[in-house]
Amino acid sequence: MKLLTAATLLLASTAAFARPAPLVSIPTHDDFFDNIATYCGKAFEGKVTVDNATGPSSFAGKKLVMHVRKCTDSELQIPFHVGDDASRTWIITKTGSGLSLKHDHRHQDGTDDVSTMYGGHTVDAGFANVQSFPADQYSKELFVSQSIPQSIGNTWQMYIYPEKFTYRLIRQGREFRVDFDLTKPITPPPAPWGYKD
């Protein structure tokens, strides 16, 4: 009987140590994540509302669509289609120390673009409707290697309100913003490049 009890205790203690660490978070990050996840499966059309770059824009005259395509308890995948270009997917992830935003860029054959998985991580609580993602170290080194050191100062922001979702990029001397109308869902587009339906 004592041997059985000892074996049971050993199994119980082993199970306790095998339990994965909890994914901790704070309410504003959870609320922001959940506010976007509410639209899972839906797609929306948007328009560029601010773009102070010089020269012609690659977004001009093209249909802009965001699709809250895949949602888990810890990750949101949001493809951003620019006309027929399905190379971009925003990935928001709960990390246990905040939220991460990554830009997954693919070629049409599904292979990774040389400039992919750049983005940033929250450094403060933010708000249930607004989060900022200053460029992380990986992104800064990528930008230097791609000869675009001005992007080191990038901060990406996302806003989620009942009628509008906004994706915004800011840095010194640069602002780009796309607003999506959440009141008018559209037919979701096909899977982005490198993903499957």
Side-chain angles (χ1 to χ4, degrees), residues 23-37 72-76 78 91-102 118-136 156-160 165:
L23 187 64
V24 296
S25 57
I26 60 174
T28 49
H29 292 159
D30 288 339
D31 291 345
F32 176 81
F33 188 96
D34 292 344
N35 283 339
I36 297 175
T72 69
D73 290 341
S74 60
E75 183 179 277
L76 305 174
I78 309 170
I91 300 175
I92 301 171
T93 307
K94 291 184 178 182
T95 67
S97 59
L99 297 173
S100 165
L101 168 66
K102 289 292 184 175
Y118 62 85
H121 197 282
T122 54
V123 294
D124 57 28
F127 301 92
N129 303 104
V130 184
Q131 291 292 335
S132 295
F133 306 89
D136 58 26
W156 297 271
Q157 296 177 326
M158 287 183 167
Y159 304 70
I160 177 77
F165 174 88

Side-chain angles (χ1 to χ4, degrees), residues 1-191:
M1 185 66 167
K2 288 182 180 178
L3 187 58
L4 182 60
T5 303
T8 303
L9 287 173
L10 180 62
L11 285 172
S13 63
T14 303
F17 287 115
R19 183 181 62 81
L23 187 64
V24 296
S25 57
I26 60 174
T28 49
H29 292 159
D30 288 339
D31 291 345
F32 176 81
F33 188 96
D34 292 344
N35 283 339
I36 297 175
T38 298
Y39 296 94
C40 202
K42 296 182 179 177
F44 306 93
E45 191 167 352
K47 61 181 179 179
V48 175
T49 52
V50 178
D51 188 358
N52 66 355
T54 56
S57 171
S58 59
F59 294 83
K62 295 180 180 173
K63 184 176 182 179
L64 307 179
V65 175
M66 65 168 282
H67 178 200
V68 186
R69 182 174 177 271
K70 184 176 178 185
C71 309
T72 69
D73 290 341
S74 60
E75 183 179 277
L76 305 174
Q77 295 178 3
I78 309 170
F80 174 38
H81 296 256
V82 179
D84 295 329
D85 183 339
S87 65
R88 302 168 176 87
T89 300
W90 301 320
I91 300 175
I92 301 171
T93 307
K94 291 184 178 182
T95 67
S97 59
L99 297 173
S100 165
L101 168 66
K102 289 292 184 175
H103 299 73
D104 183 0
H105 283 232
R106 309 280 185 101
H107 296 292
Q108 196 161 3
D109 64 2
T111 58
D112 294 331
D113 189 276
V114 66
S115 183
T116 191
M117 298 310 287
Y118 62 85
H121 197 282
T122 54
V123 294
D124 57 28
F127 301 92
N129 303 104
V130 184
Q131 291 292 335
S132 295
F133 306 89
D136 58 26
Q137 192 60 37
Y138 167 80
S139 303
K140 291 177 181 180
E141 294 186 24
L142 177 67
F143 296 148
V144 169
S145 72
Q146 296 298 309
S147 300
I148 47 172
Q150 65 273 19
S151 295
I152 287 174
N154 281 5
T155 294
W156 297 271
Q157 296 177 326
M158 287 183 167
Y159 304 70
I160 177 77
Y161 290 99
E163 297 183 352
K164 181 168 64 175
F165 174 88
T166 297
Y167 169 88
R168 182 179 185 224
L169 162 68
I170 54 172
R171 65 172 178 258
Q172 186 173 3
R174 179 78 170 105
E175 181 177 3
F176 174 79
R177 176 175 174 156
V178 184
D179 292 325
F180 298 87
D181 185 352
L182 298 181
T183 67
K184 299 174 182 175
I186 63 172
T187 302

